[in-house]
Amino acid sequence: MNGAHAVASPRVVCIEDFRPIARRRIPRAVFDYLDGGAEGEVTLRENCRAFQDVTFRPRHAVALGKCDLGVRVLGFDLALPFLLAPVGYSRLMHPGGEVAAARAAGAAGTAYILSTISGHKLENVKAGSSGPVFYQLYLMGGRGAAEAAIDRARAAGFSALVVTIDTAVSGIRERDYRNGMKELISGSVFEKIPYIPELLKHPGWLMGYLRDGGLPGLPNVIIPGKGPMPLVDINAALAAAAVTWADLRWIREHWKGPIVVKGVLTGDDGRRAVDEGAAAISVSNHGGRQLDCVPASVRALPEVVKAVKDQVEVLMDGGVRRGTDVVKAICMGARAVLCGRAYAYALAAAGEAGVTRAIEILRTDVERTLRLLGCASIAALDRSYVNVPAAWE
Ligand SMILES: Cc1cc2nc3c(=O)[nH]c(=O)nc-3n(C[C@H](O)[C@H](O)[C@H](O)COP(=O)(O)O)c2cc1C
């Protein structure tokens, strides 16, 4: 069964069901890049697990009409309370990559956030989506490259910049080193040889990859005087791309639209982001891919909400796999959540059709959860619908 047929199967009933399909379709190196986290993967696991510590307080026997899932994020009315998070190398998971994900998001009435580490031109991603698209900025290639990307994003009609602040260096994802991701991306033909048998086990993926021309450089990171950054430069470029608060001030001078600061885990950083002019923040640990052993995002949410809720829109991401997770985060003060792996597994499994299905599963999940809670809208959710461990507040 190919990926598209597999995800259309009635047996795909929740997000977790996409994971084994993705694992079968794509080579181990790519799957582990998508699935894995930093070091001991403590935070990766905890992101999902910690949602179980929050329980619901439903209001039963309530008559509800239509449920309203809409939210307003940065002035955009979204049909759903979740956005698609930036996921680097999406084009490696499926040739449609970032364009496919953006198109599925737009069709569902929500926003897509494009990673700097995109294999598709930002103009094509924007043109593919009927919804709002935000650009996630790393300072790879220095300020010259960032300025060019900001100018292009503005001209193409991107609505917001998302500045990720938790990537002082790239976290060490040990699976990438063990399974050949590094060699696949940047190694010589000679270095790739040991991994060829594994690639041949995934002929559907391999054909798509070869037809797509292999991995291009980064079309949105144009080094002044040189051209697109080749993939071989990425790790070194990330290490030199740490964003500081001074950089954020520089970015604000160049981008007059709203800025989302992504990667906040403490009230202090939340307040700092507000002082530096952020319009929104995302409480995030990068899906457990950067500093391991930081708290789960949902665990960090109450502290950040308490510090900044009335001054800035609070988003969160990390571990969201079910509609109940989305609803819990919103009850705890998030305006909306970002989903990363929840759609990336589906993209790897079946391209745009997979992402469309994943969004639909999450949408019906959220609506069912609202009905079972006895709440008619996302806007009406609040702290009274959940029990949160006392130690979190
Ligand atoms: C494969 C992969 C690549 C990612 N690439 C980026 C990126 O380029 N920029 C960024 O800000 N976050 C990146 N993230 C982090 C996501 O935006 C998001 O914070 C994270 O996936 C949320 O956790 P979740 O996957 O449990 O939903 C990436 C995540 C994954 C899984």
Side-chain angles (χ1 to χ4, degrees), residues 54-91:
V54 179
T55 54
F56 285 119
R57 299 173 56 80
R59 295 173 198 172
H60 290 146
V62 175
L64 297 178
K66 203 173 169 302
C67 274
D68 180 0
L69 307 193
V71 292
R72 199 168 169 79
V73 173
L74 299 177
F76 290 96
D77 287 318
L78 305 181
L80 300 169
F82 53 89
L83 296 74
L84 303 196
V87 167
Y89 292 127
S90 289
R91 191 170 180 171

Side-chain angles (χ1 to χ4, degrees), residues 204-218:
W205 175 87
L206 187 58
M207 268 162 50
Y209 174 74
L210 294 175
R211 242 187 275 129
D212 202 33
L215 263 191
L218 296 179

